Structure formats: C-alpha cells, structure tokens
Amino acid sequence: IDKDTLKFENQISQLSESLKVKESELDLLKSTFLKKENKMKQELDDCQRSLSSSNSRYQWLEEEHENLVSLNQSSSQQLNDVKKDHQRTVKQLEQEVKSLNLTIENNSLDHIKEKERVTALTNQLSSLTTQIKVIELENDQLKQQLSHQASSKQ
C-alpha cells in the first residue's frame, strides 16, 4: 500500500467520523424540532378551543342582546298602549266626575251614593296612575340592562 492510499483511507476515516457526529447532531435537531412542533400544535389546539369558546359566548351575548332589544321594544309598546288607555280613561273619568258632581248638586236625595262613586272613580284613576309609574320603572330597568348589555358586548 502506498502513501497516497494510506492518506486517502485516513481521510475517509476522518470523514466517516465527522459524518457520524453530524448525523448525531442532526438527530438531536430533529428531536428538538419535533418537541417544539408538538408543543406548538398543542398551543394551537388550545387557542382554537379558546376561540371557539369565545365565539360561542359572543353568539350567546348577541342573542341575549337581541332578546333584550325585543323585550324593550315590546315593553315600550305596552307602555305606550297603557298611556293611551290611561288618557282615554282619565278623560272618561273626568267627564263622569263632572257629571256626578252635577247630579250631586241637583239631587240631594242621592247625594251620599254619588259621592261614594266619585271616590271609587278617583281611586281607580290613582290605581291606573300607579300602574303607569310601575311600568315606566320597569321600562327604565330594561333600558339600563340593554345599555349594560351593549357596553358589556363592546
């Protein structure tokens, strides 16, 4: 065997050792990469679950908001209807009170009975006024809930 062959075999041996070291480094890099890839996949799955949960919550809040808007509109319509009814009733009751007062003045025999009827009508008027105040309070509460829902949504 000549010198060149020995030198060549020596170089081959060195290159073979160097290749083994590089392969070992590559295996380590692959392992590190796979661990990081798995960790990132897990983080991505967690983020997707969180996003899905947030989307569900947002959709629920949207539905609740729509329900409150609808409820508020319904309550506002009811309040308007009650106010109109109250105005009609007030006018009717005022006319009846006037009529009863004239009857009381003109009919001394029925004076006591007519006075009681005026009192009952006045109580009815007071009751209707109280009902309107209660409905207005409920409407204000619904408006506050709607406002709170809107600010919570933002």
Side-chain angles (χ1 to χ4, degrees):
I1 299 178
D2 63 7
K3 262 194 217 179
D4 286 335
T5 304
L6 282 174
K7 186 176 179 185
F8 183 69
E9 285 178 354
N10 193 19
Q11 285 178 342
I12 288 175
S13 174
Q14 286 177 353
L15 286 172
S16 178
E17 283 300 314
S18 176
L19 179 61
K20 287 179 184 176
V21 169
K22 294 295 181 187
E23 285 175 342
S24 175
E25 289 175 358
L26 180 60
D27 287 343
L28 182 62
L29 284 173
K30 283 180 183 178
S31 172
T32 303
F33 173 79
L34 287 174
K35 286 178 186 174
K36 286 185 178 181
E37 182 183 38
N38 286 337
K39 183 179 178 185
M40 291 174 86
K41 283 180 180 178
Q42 182 64 43
E43 288 175 1
L44 177 61
D45 288 345
D46 292 346
C47 287
Q48 287 173 335
R49 275 192 294 277
S50 177
L51 178 61
S52 176
S53 174
S54 293
N55 283 341
S56 295
R57 174 87 173 129
Y58 178 78
Q59 186 174 358
W60 179 81
L61 287 172
E62 274 285 317
E63 290 169 2
E64 284 300 304
H65 174 72
E66 290 171 12
N67 290 341
L68 285 173
V69 167
S70 175
L71 187 59
N72 185 44
Q73 289 171 345
S74 174
S75 295
S76 293
Q77 183 60 47
Q78 286 177 348
L79 177 62
N80 288 338
D81 292 346
V82 169
K83 281 182 177 179
K84 288 176 185 174
D85 187 44
H86 175 259
Q87 289 172 347
R88 272 186 255 113
T89 304
V90 166
K91 287 179 183 176
Q92 288 172 351
L93 292 174
E94 286 172 347
Q95 290 299 323
E96 285 186 46
V97 167
K98 287 179 185 177
S99 174
L100 289 173
N101 283 334
L102 287 175
T103 301
I104 289 170
E105 289 174 17
N106 294 329
N107 193 351
S108 60
L109 296 176
D110 293 343
H111 180 74
I112 294 172
K113 290 180 185 176
E114 295 300 326
K115 268 287 207 194
E116 289 173 355
R117 186 162 181 221
V118 168
T119 301
L121 290 172
T122 303
N123 288 340
Q124 186 180 359
L125 177 61
S126 175
S127 175
L128 286 171
T129 302
T130 301
Q131 288 176 6
I132 284 179
K133 288 180 181 177
V134 168
I135 290 172
E136 286 174 340
L137 284 173
E138 289 173 350
N139 193 39
D140 288 343
Q141 288 174 346
L142 285 172
K143 284 180 182 177
Q144 287 176 354
Q145 285 179 351
L146 185 60
S147 174
H148 176 71
Q149 187 78 20
S151 67
S152 158
K153 187 174 157 188
Q154 291 174 352

